[in-house]
Amino acid sequence: MDTKVIALANQKGGVGKTTTAINFSACLAEKRKKVLLVDLDPQANATSGLGLEKGFGSSIFPALLGESDAAGLVKQTGIKNLDIIPSELDLAGAEIAIARRDDYLHRLKEAMAPIIDSGRYDFIVLDCPPSLGILFMNALNIADEVIIPIQCEYLALEGLGVMVDIVDQIRDAGNPELRIGGILMTMYNVSTNLSQQVVQEVVKHFGDRVFETLIPRNVRLSEAPSYGKAIIEYDRHCVGAAAYRNLAKEFLKRQKKEAAFGEEALPTLSGVMASGSEGEG
Ligand SMILES: Nc1ncnc2c1ncn2[C@@H]1O[C@H](COP(=O)(O)OP(=O)(O)O)[C@@H](O)[C@H]1O
Ligand SMILES: [Mg+2]
């Protein structure tokens, strides 16, 4: 199997990108997939959330400038099969530093190419910053798919149109393989109607691109990062751990289906509604 690159992206902050990057990656690793998490957010929450120290010169920044080899920046985490390229605050300067170069939207592609070509990893997961800046565009330019986490709250869909437009633009302008791999509903609150309404609203727009797995609001998920642990290490039996395991399982099932039939063969909700038949695949 080739290395697949998955970007966790949403220009809104606080929607669960980093929590998902850490725990989705950890659960894939638990399923014996070889995973590399690349922390592309200068806030470095995925880095500290997995218990790594933020250290000067340890982010992907020098590799973006072509001054260092990305493979040399890879660190092991406490979880078997899960490696990380950490982040630290210096990455905030990367956008300005690479903006002067002609290929400023493709620096990550060049930096990561040796790792991707080596086939060492099954999946590379990119934790994107909460902006539509240059790092974000670089991430989408090497991604095979984007997973968009959405918080189950009022105005969840706001700004999502912009994300979808950008994915379309990047697909047209240099990364034809890019697609939305899934919309992930996060911080689902079982005790309010609002969460349920938000999910229904999002499904109305995105049909079966929305993951069946909902990530519940779970205090254990918010505690784990301060201990530098993924949820499967911090409390492997809590509902948050179960949810992220289910997500990894659902994701891998989708990958298998797509590898077997090609994306066109996948039935979609809108396709079924349009044709009025159920379609076998
Ligand atoms: N399912 C969840 N249940 C409870 N708290 C969560 C959950 N997902 C994320 N959080 C908390 O919400 C905050 C924002 O999440 P984070 O993953 O950092 O979002 P982003 O990376 O999109 O900014 C963090 O404090 C995180 O611990
Ligand atoms: Mg984040």
Side-chain angles (χ1 to χ4, degrees), residues 267-279:
T268 60
L269 196 62
S270 50
V272 169
M273 302 303 267
S275 71
S277 75
E278 290 222 320

Side-chain angles (χ1 to χ4, degrees), residues 91-236:
L91 198 54
E95 305 225 331
I96 295 164
I98 61 179
R100 295 186 215 109
R101 306 176 64 138
D102 291 341
D103 58 349
Y104 70 103
L105 292 179
H106 296 278
R107 296 307 306 159
L108 187 64
K109 184 186 261 173
E110 192 164 321
M112 293 297 293
I115 297 182
I116 294 173
D117 295 345
S118 78
R120 260 171 72 192
Y121 295 101
D122 296 306
F123 297 105
I124 296 178
V125 175
L126 309 173
D127 186 23
C128 294
S131 68
L132 299 171
I134 291 173
L135 281 171
F136 167 88
M137 303 288 267
N138 268 269
L140 291 202
N141 268 325
I142 63 163
D144 294 292
E145 35 183 286
V146 195
I147 292 179
I148 307 175
I150 301 182
Q151 191 179 344
C152 297
E153 60 153 32
Y154 185 57
L155 296 179
L157 278 165
E158 200 187 57
L160 200 60
V162 178
M163 263 298 295
V164 172
D165 286 348
I166 288 190
V167 170
D168 284 343
Q169 280 169 30
I170 296 219
R171 192 188 297 118
D172 294 342
N175 184 6
E177 305 296 320
L178 182 66
R179 56 194 194 80
I180 295 177
I183 310 272
L184 178 67
M185 303 307 299
T186 66
M187 298 182 235
Y188 186 90
N189 192 337
V190 282
S191 59
T192 68
N193 290 334
L194 179 64
S195 275
Q196 212 178 335
Q197 284 162 12
V198 170
V199 171
Q200 284 165 352
E201 182 73 18
V202 173
V203 168
K204 227 194 278 166
H205 283 80
F206 292 97
D208 66 358
R209 282 288 97 186
V210 182
F211 282 107
E212 199 62 43
T213 305
L214 307 174
I215 306 298
R217 191 173 272 285
N218 174 223
V219 69
R220 306 300 268 167
L221 283 170
S222 58
E223 289 166 1
S226 53
Y227 295 88
K229 289 192 157 124
I231 197 66
I232 55 170
E233 303 171 286
Y234 178 64
D235 184 354
R236 42 183 306 106

